[in-house]
Every structure is written in C-alpha cells, then in structure tokens.
Amino acid sequence: MVHSDIKVVALTFDDSPDPAFTEAILDILKQKQVKATFFVIGAKASQNPLILRRMVTEGHEIGNHGYTHNYGIREMTGELRQTDQSVYSVTDTHTHTHFYRPPGGFVTKSQINRLRNKVM
Ligand SMILES: [Zn+2]
C-alpha cells in the first residue's frame, strides 16, 4: 500500500519465472526503466534460476505465488515456505518473499488467519 496524493500504478506479474514470457517482460521494463513485482511459483523459480536472478539484479520485487500453483490446497504454509526457500537459495542476495498472491485469487479467511499465526 502506498499513501500518495498523486495517482500511481503498480505493475505485477504472476506465474514467473517463465522461460517463454518473463525475459521479454524484463526487456521491456528495463527499456522503460520501470520496476515491477513478480509473484513467482517456487517450482518455476528452481527450474529457471537465471531468470529469477535477473529479476532481482534489475531491481524488481519478488512475491510468493505458491510452489505448485495449486488452487485447492488447504494448508498453504508448506507451499509458501518451499517457494521462499527456492527464491532464497537461487538468488545471490538471498532474497526472501514478503508478499503472497494466492493462485487464482482463491483464499479463505481461515487460511489467512492460519498464515498470520505462522512464522515463515
Ligand atoms: Zn497464477
């Protein structure tokens, strides 16, 4: 959340890092000198470490989008922890994820409450 009197836009991209799309997005963002937040899938982060490192090196923020992009999962904590560990181990700066975007936007109040009570 940003408190501001001027209008601002936050660019976010889900399901990264994807070898088919993400580098093209990074090229455009670099050309336009714009930063974004990439909500990464942990399994893809492990499979595409160079793209993930490029995101961080070029100043973009990394968010957590689960490890398997599973919509129906009841216990998300393990997925979030796995993704955070993937991002941490792949990035030279040992980056952690501080924001979560649930796959498909599906999240229940009880899941949110459980996550609030967990320490990652
Ligand atoms: Zn997604």
Side-chain angles (χ1 to χ4, degrees):
M1 177 184 294
V2 175
H3 297 283
S4 173
D5 292 331
I6 60 172
K7 293 182 180 183
V8 295
V9 173
L11 294 179
T12 65
F13 299 92
D14 292 358
D15 306 346
S16 302
D18 188 296
F21 307 110
T22 305
E23 292 191 278
I25 293 169
L26 288 168
D27 290 343
I28 294 168
L29 293 172
K30 188 173 189 176
Q31 179 188 5
K32 302 294 183 185
Q33 298 182 339
V34 171
K35 304 300 180 202
T37 302
F38 288 88
F39 286 91
V40 303
I41 297 171
K44 284 185 162 187
S46 296
Q47 294 163 359
N48 303 287
L50 296 179
I51 301 173
L52 182 63
R53 282 188 204 126
R54 181 178 169 197
M55 291 173 180
V56 173
T57 299
E58 295 183 3
H60 303 290
E61 185 147 24
I62 307 300
N64 195 320
H65 198 45
Y67 195 80
T68 61
H69 205 270
N70 186 336
Y71 287 9
I73 195 163
R74 294 192 68 199
E75 181 53 67
M76 298 181 298
T77 308
E79 287 244 337
L80 295 179
R81 187 176 297 120
Q82 269 187 292
T83 299
D84 188 67
Q85 287 173 349
S86 291
V87 171
Y88 181 87
S89 64
V90 163
T91 54
D92 296 330
T93 53
H94 298 306
T95 299
H96 280 289
T97 56
H98 300 287
F99 301 103
Y100 173 57
R101 176 173 285 165
F106 298 115
V107 66
T108 65
K109 281 188 175 182
S110 66
Q111 287 172 323
I112 292 171
N113 288 336
R114 275 189 301 224
L115 288 172
R116 282 189 175 139
N117 295 327
K118 300 270 183 179
V119 177
M120 293 294 290

